[in-house]
């Protein structure tokens, strides 16, 4: 049957091409019209596949040669060509091959006096011009000059024809050569005057699409640099900015507002960032022969080549990345197979034996039952109180024998009499809050002082004086906080301020110790020993005082309609009304003079503290500031993380902040994410919380560019603006704003001190060592956590030594602070007295590097180390001098593999800025080959699917985790990441990167909520639960372990599926991240200007048919023999309803003179 239909259609098309009989041609056209009027576009594509376009073009050429032209045949033929051509991707090439361009232009010129015939010609001309090559040919042959004879100032006559001409012109101007020709002939100024005239006179908004067509012409012309320059010289910015103000109140005018905003943003003159150099303010000299280019000043004027199309590709780039995803997949099976390859001499691995002392520990301290009842004093004396550090380097003593040897090692730890802390697992949806005993504060202060003294003795250069940042300066507030019992006559020191030392003493007395696992004394002691490039002298209050999660979660911020275009237009207002811009620098790390308190009524900024990042602040208006982030050290890029202090604010005033040098092309700030804020006044009143804050938040491309000279060769790199408004809770407060919940290096080290102090040494084996020293001279901690053996019996020791390893890491990217909060939850659970944690410790030995890039965290980097390298791209061949933490972490993994103890699970904790939920990336040969479209011989390629077990478990036990977001593809561009290298070289099947969103969840119990620190910590503890269930499901277990598990876990209940999740999954990673799943227009809130939607052309055809029938009744012309009216109406049913019109007040403007229509026949 299908063959008969195909042969029948081919006969019709063949006859149409060869026949000269008018009636036969009309009948065939009628049949084709009826055929294409039913069903969907699939019929049209079928006709195209059978040569329909070629047949219609041949028929057009034959009919057009007759004298005079037979319009009864030409009109239905032109309608069919417009209908078919708009869906034929090669229509332009077919038109050229049939030499039909001159025919179409000739028909249009001959019908300038007849608007009905001309409209049909213009429809076909528009479709032909959609192909850039054909459009260029049409432009050379005078198509634009012809169209400008048709396009008239505002008139209610021949509206359909004028609109068709404008839209055909817009299609022609997609060609760069046509755009240049239009600019050189002065058409741009004429288009501006035409738009002003239509805008002014179309009071009732009846001709929105005609006005939009004129704007599309301007949009395409301004795609070239010459067009943008001419547009600026013609006052185009002012004209469009003024006109769009009239449109903003009317939602029906969104098609116009959208394109105007795109044009204004694109034509905004490009500028360099207002900084001396785009390179980091901080420079670190590298060891050895490694060289870093010193900061260089950026040159202006080389943003892009003359005549090049501007990078108007925000959405297109995302599409290209999606299309190229499969091309990045590794399809070489030999490369995908795990192949252990050493990147260093084998004898070097011996040095890592000292990091696995648990395998040689004799546990002499485990005494008999009676000896365990000795006094706590005697017990404590046998335990050292300071950790033993081993720092491997190139000259370390080599150990040729890596097999573990029995050695007598004394386990370190605090007084065993210290009480346990516990992280209950009651609900497994929210972690129950733990309170740290405030009575330990005095002891902590003493121990912290001892640590600071020991730090100074070991390295006097490391310890330095630190000053707590000044508190709010209001005298009355000081009295209320520090002197609540004093009379009003008593006042603090002159100026309403106490001395810094007095403040710290008073604060330590006031601190109630009610923030779990945080001690300000420990923090100060650790912070004194931190080495930083700026040599920090100040402590940020939130890090000193601590953070307590609020008792509630905050929903994602609902996006205000039109907020993005409003912000873009606000930026344009600066250009048009420069007199309203203050432009005063109030903070600048490059200029010390700008870092002092600013003018009265101006906010005061500061960021020179650990993990701080704010380079410059410029006051734009009274309550608006432009902010510039610092690049990563020894780099000119990676602007995302920010953390800074602001003070001297007014009450109940919304302050607007614009961070103008962001780099990622999209952000979750467009989809409900908020930054975080910490108020000192709130903290001292008992609410020490980082809270989600900010409104009117959006993220979009701005007019700043990085020149080739200053951008390291990246020509015309675009910057993006993150804009948000904050209404501060108190007058003259001190507040801190950050990209995400900060977690500094000193916070980690003091947290480890607290955990070690509070663990139960009878149950928890804890060893803290130094993996290595970083480039900046800071120790990178390595933890070993497991359960102490039950006794010194051989079976118990054998069980201890044979426990499988789990290797965990976090914070290789400094700006991903959420990874540290997840790690915090993991650590607190692992050392807790919860029975599930106790059982987990008996199942595994945990090797943990909680912060793999301390230098980056300390100096406020977002992605790199002090070498300017992304450390998660150095795992293939790490340099021992430039990437010491990666080099030695990989060396430790090599050592474990060499002794037959490769980890069962490897997981690298990360943060994700462009996706929601928590998920993992893993590695699979088969899934990668299947995704790439390769044939997979299952008999040759076998693979253990156990890599999916842990993610499936987490999907069931962790509320924030989503299995559908996980990916197990291996990309070529990710071959040097930890996940892929550990999978390939160490042979670890379960090698993962676990990504935690900065934003919130789209599924499960946290759906629609932003994740806080409590939820992130919960994820860390749930990961531990997942490991325990993995052990029970995948590994042989003793009856004793299974019996304990049966008592603690109802596996049937724990693994029960929750509600079915549905989530779009993207496997493409961009900087370890796939692009956003949501679509985004960087200019306005609309998804598209709709210029490529030919359904409007169908609507025009339908309207024109009705109009044509009315005209023929008046003129007495018979056209019904072409095809039935019913068939024609069925062919051109519109898919878009006409919007209701709303009248707007419009302004008048002068208009140029254009040639109009010749008189139509009566």
């Amino acid at each position: 049957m299908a063959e008969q239909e195909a042969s029948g259609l081919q006969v019709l098309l063949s006859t149409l091409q060869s026949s000269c009989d008018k009636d036969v041609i009309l009948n065939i056209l009628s049949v084709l019209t009826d055929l294409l009027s039913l069903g969907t576009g699939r019929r049209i594509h079928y006709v195209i596949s059978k040569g329909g376009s070629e047949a219609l073009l041949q028929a057009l050429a034959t009919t057009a040669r007759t004298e005079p032209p037979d319009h009864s045949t030409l009109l239905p033929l032109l309608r069919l060509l417009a209908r078919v051509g708009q869906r034929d991707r090669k229509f332009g090439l077919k038109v050229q091959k049939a030499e039909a361009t001159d025919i179409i232009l000739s028909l249009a010129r001959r019908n300038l006096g007849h608007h009905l015939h001309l409209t049909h010609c213009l429809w076909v001309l528009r479709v032909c011009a959609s192909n850039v090559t054909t459009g260029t040919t049409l432009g050379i042959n005078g198509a634009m000059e012809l169209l400008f004879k048709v396009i008239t100032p505002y008139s209610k006559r021949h509206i359909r024809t004028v609109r068709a001409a404008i839209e055909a012109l817009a299609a022609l101007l997609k060609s760069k050569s046509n755009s240049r020709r239009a600019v050189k002939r002065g058409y741009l100024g004429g288009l501006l005057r035409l738009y002003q005239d239509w805008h002014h006179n179309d009071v009732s908004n009846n001709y929105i699409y005609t006005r939009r067509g004129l704007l599309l012409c301007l949009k395409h012309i301004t795609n070239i640099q010459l067009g943008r320059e001419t547009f600026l010289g013609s006052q185009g910015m002012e004209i469009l900015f003024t006109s769009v103000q009239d449109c903003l109140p009317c939602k029906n005018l969104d098609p116009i507002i959208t394109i105007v905003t795109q044009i204004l943003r694109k034509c905004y003159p490009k500028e360099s960032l207002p900084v001396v150099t785009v390179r980091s303010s901080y420079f670190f000299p590298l060891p050895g022969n490694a060289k870093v280019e010193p900061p260089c000043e950026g040159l202006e004027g080389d943003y892009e080549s003359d005549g090049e199309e501007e990078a108007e590709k925000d959405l297109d780039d995302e599409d290209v990345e999606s299309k190229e995803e499969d091309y990045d997949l590794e399809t070489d099976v030999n490369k995908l197979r795990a192949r252990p390859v050493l990147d260093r001499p084998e004898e070097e691995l011996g040095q890592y034996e000292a990091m696995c002392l648990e395998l040689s520990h004799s546990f002499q301290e485990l005494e008999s039952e009676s000896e365990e009842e000795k006094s706590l004093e005697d017990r404590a004396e046998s335990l050292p109180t300071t950790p033993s550090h081993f720092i491997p380097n190139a000259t370390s003593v080599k150990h040729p024998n890596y097999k573990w040897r029995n050695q007598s090692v004394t386990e370190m730890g605090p007084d065993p009499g210290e009480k346990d802390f516990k992280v209950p697992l009651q609900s497994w949806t929210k972690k129950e809050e733990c309170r740290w005993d405030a009575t330990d504060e005095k002891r902590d202060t003493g121990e912290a002082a001892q640590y600071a003294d020991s730090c100074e003795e070991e390295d006097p250069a490391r310890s330095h004086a630190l000053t707590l940042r000044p508190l709010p300066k209001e005298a009355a507030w000081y009295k209320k906080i520090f002197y609540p019992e004093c009379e009003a006559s008593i006042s603090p020191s002159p100026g309403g301020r106490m001395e810094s030392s007095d403040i710290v003493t008073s604060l330590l007395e006031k601190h109630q110790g009610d923030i779990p696992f945080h001690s300000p004394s420990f923090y100060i002691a650790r912070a004194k020993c931190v080495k930083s490039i700026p040599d920090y002298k100040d402590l940020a209050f939130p890090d000193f005082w601590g953070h307590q999660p609020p008792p509630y979660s905050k929903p994602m911020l609902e996006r205000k309609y039109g907020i993005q275009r409003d912000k873009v237009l606000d930026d344009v207002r600066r250009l048009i009304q420069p007199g309203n811009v203050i432009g005063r620098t109030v903070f600048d790390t490059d200029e010390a003079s700008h870092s002092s308190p600013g003018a009265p009524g101006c906010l005061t900024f500061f960021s020179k503290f650990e993990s701080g990042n704010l380079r410059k602040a410029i006051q734009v208006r009274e309550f608006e500031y432009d902010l510039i982030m610092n690049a990563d050290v020894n780099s000119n890029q990676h602007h995302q993380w920010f953390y800074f202090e602001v003070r001297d604010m007014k009450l109940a005033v919304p302050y607007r902040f614009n961070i103008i040098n962001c780099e990622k092309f999209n952000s979750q700030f467009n989809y409900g994410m908020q930054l975080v804020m910490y108020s000192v006044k709130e903290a001292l009143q008992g609410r020490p919380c980082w809270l989600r804050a900010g409104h009117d938040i959006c993220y979009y491309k701005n007019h700043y560019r990085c020149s080739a000279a200053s951008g390291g060769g990246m020509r015309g790199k675009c910057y993006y603006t993150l804009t948000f408004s904050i209404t501060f809770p108190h007058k003259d407060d001190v507040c801190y704003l950050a990209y995400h919940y900060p977690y500094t290096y000193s916070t980690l080290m003091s947290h480890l001190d607290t955990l070690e102090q509070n663990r139960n040494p009878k149950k928890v084996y804890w060893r803290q060592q130094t993996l290595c020293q970083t480039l900046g001279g800071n120790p990178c901690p390595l933890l070993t956590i497991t359960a102490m053996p039950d006794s010194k019996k051989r079976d118990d020791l054998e069980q201890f030594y044979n426990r499988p390893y789990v290797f965990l890491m976090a914070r290789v990217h400094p700006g991903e602070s959420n990874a540290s909060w997840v790690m915090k939850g993991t650590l607190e659970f692992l050392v807790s007295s919860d029975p599930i944690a106790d059982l987990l410790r008996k199942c595994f030995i945990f090797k943990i590097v909680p912060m793999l890039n301390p230098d980056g965290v300390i100096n406020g980097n977002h992605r790199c180390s002090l070498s300017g390298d992304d450390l998660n791209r150095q795992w293939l061949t790490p340099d021992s001098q430039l990437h010491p933490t990666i080099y030695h972490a990989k060396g430790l993994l090599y050592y474990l593999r060499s002794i037959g103890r490769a980890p069962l699970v490897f997981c690298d904790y990360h943060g994700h800025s462009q996706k929601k939920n928590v998920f993992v990336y893993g590695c699979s040969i088969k899934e990668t080959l299947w995704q790439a479209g390769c044939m997979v011989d299952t008999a040759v390629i076998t693979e253990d699917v156990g890599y999916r077990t842990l993610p499936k478990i987490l999907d069931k036990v962790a509320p924030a985790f989503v299995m559908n977001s996980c990916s197990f593809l291996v990309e070529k561009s990710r071959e040097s990441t930890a996940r892929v290298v550990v999978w390939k070289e160490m042979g670890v099947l379960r090698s993962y990167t676990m990504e935690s969103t900065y934003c919130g969840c789209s599924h499960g119990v946290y759906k629609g909520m932003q994740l806080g620190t409590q939820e992130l910590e919960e994820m860390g503890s749930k990961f531990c639960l997942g490991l325990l269930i993995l052990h029970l499901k995948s590994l042989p277990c003793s009856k004793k372990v299974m019996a304990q598990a049966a008592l603690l876990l109802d596996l049937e209940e724990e693994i029960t599926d929750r509600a079915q999740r549905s989530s779009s999954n993207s496997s493409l990673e961009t900087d370890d991240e796939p692009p956003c799943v949501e679509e985004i227009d960087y200019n306005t809130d609309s998804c598209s200007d709709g210029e490529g939607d030919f359904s409007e052309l169908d609507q025009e055809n339908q309207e024109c048919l009705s109009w044509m029938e009315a005209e023929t009744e008046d003129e007495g012309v018979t056209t019904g023999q072409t095809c039935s009216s019913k068939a024609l109406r069925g062919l051109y049913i519109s898919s878009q309803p006409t919007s209701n019109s709303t009248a707007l007040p419009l302004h008048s403007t002068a208009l140029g003179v254009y040639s109009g229509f010749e008189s139509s026949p009566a």
Side-chain angles (χ1 to χ4, degrees), residues 476-489:
W477 184 83
Y478 265 93
K479 296 175 187 177
K480 178 180 177 182
I481 296 298
F482 294 107
Y483 306 103
E485 306 297 331
C486 297
E487 299 294 330
S489 58

Side-chain angles (χ1 to χ4, degrees), residues 431-665:
K431 185 172 66 178
E432 186 175 310
E433 184 179 297
C434 308
R435 297 178 67 85
W436 185 34
D437 193 347
T439 60
D440 293 338
E441 181 65 33
K442 292 183 179 179
R443 182 197 64 208
D444 296 342
T445 304
E447 293 186 2
Q450 291 178 8
Y451 174 81
D453 293 341
S454 64
C455 172
E456 188 168 2
E457 290 174 4
E458 292 176 7
D459 185 356
R462 282 183 60 187
S463 184
H464 53 270
L466 285 174
T467 304
L468 184 66
R469 291 292 300 155
L471 299 181
K473 60 188 179 182
E474 188 180 354
W477 184 83
Y478 265 93
K479 296 175 187 177
K480 178 180 177 182
I481 296 298
F482 294 107
Y483 306 103
E485 306 297 331
C486 297
E487 299 294 330
S489 58
I490 300 178
S491 63
S493 59
R497 307 290 289 268
M498 295 189 295
E499 295 297 327
S500 177
S501 59
D502 296 334
I503 291 175
V504 173
T505 302
S506 300
L507 287 174
L508 290 176
E509 292 176 356
K510 183 177 176 59
H511 197 281
Q512 299 300 312
D514 55 355
I515 299 178
F517 315 120
H518 179 78
S519 165
S521 301
F522 277 14
Y523 187 86
I524 291 177
R526 284 293 186 175
K528 285 182 178 179
C529 299
V530 169
K531 290 185 177 181
S532 63
I533 296 177
D535 192 21
Y536 296 129
K537 305 295 184 184
D538 294 85
L539 283 177
F541 186 87
D543 305 320
F544 161 79
W545 192 254
H547 157 76
Q548 194 166 17
Y552 57 88
S553 297
K554 194 166 183 181
M556 293 182 201
L557 185 68
E558 186 175 350
R559 186 180 179 88
K560 180 180 175 183
Y561 180 79
I563 183 63
Q564 195 168 92
R565 71 184 182 205
D566 291 345
K567 300 297 184 181
V568 172
L569 293 175
D570 221 16
D571 291 345
V572 175
R573 186 176 285 108
R574 296 192 200 180
L575 178 69
I576 296 175
Q577 302 169 359
N580 297 332
V581 177
I582 298 174
R584 178 171 59 224
T585 300
V586 296
F587 176 77
D588 191 346
T589 57
D590 298 319
E591 296 288 341
S593 59
H594 290 140
S595 299
S596 57
C602 173
L603 292 177
T604 302
F605 295 85
F606 189 80
S607 66
K608 291 184 178 180
F609 48 78
E610 191 174 340
S611 292
N613 189 322
L614 176 65
R615 180 173 188 169
K616 191 171 185 178
I618 303 171
Q619 186 177 19
V620 179
R621 301 183 180 94
E622 184 179 4
F623 302 114
E624 182 179 355
Y625 295 83
D626 280 353
L627 308 178
I628 299 175
M629 296 177 289
N630 192 24
D632 285 4
V633 176
N634 285 346
S635 170
N636 58 15
Q637 54 185 334
H638 305 302
H639 308 90
Q640 182 167 324
W641 172 258
F642 59 87
Y643 179 22
F644 59 89
E645 174 195 283
V646 60
R647 58 177 67 224
D648 300 329
M649 64 282 295
K650 296 181 179 179
L651 184 64
V653 173
Y655 287 86
R656 177 181 170 185
F657 300 95
N658 310 305
I659 299 179
I660 61 175
N661 64 331
C662 302
E663 289 181 320
K664 288 186 179 289
F665 74 90

Side-chain angles (χ1 to χ4, degrees), residues 121-134:
C121 295
L122 294 176
W123 287 341
V124 178
L125 185 63
R126 174 190 172 185
V127 174
C128 293
S130 60
N131 176 276
V132 175
T133 304
T134 309

Side-chain angles (χ1 to χ4, degrees), residues 270-273 278-279 302-304 311 631 635-639 660-664 701-708 710-720:
K270 305 301 178 283
E271 301 177 27
S272 296
L273 286 170
V278 296
R279 296 191 66 84
D302 59 344
Y303 303 111
E304 50 200 332
S635 170
N636 58 15
Q637 54 185 334
H638 305 302
H639 308 90
I660 61 175
N661 64 331
C662 302
E663 289 181 320
K664 288 186 179 289
K701 184 190 287 184
N702 59 36
H703 62 282
Y704 291 106
R705 296 292 182 271
C706 180
S707 64
S710 60
M714 293 179 290
R715 179 179 60 82
K717 182 179 71 173
C718 305
Y719 288 112
Y720 297 81

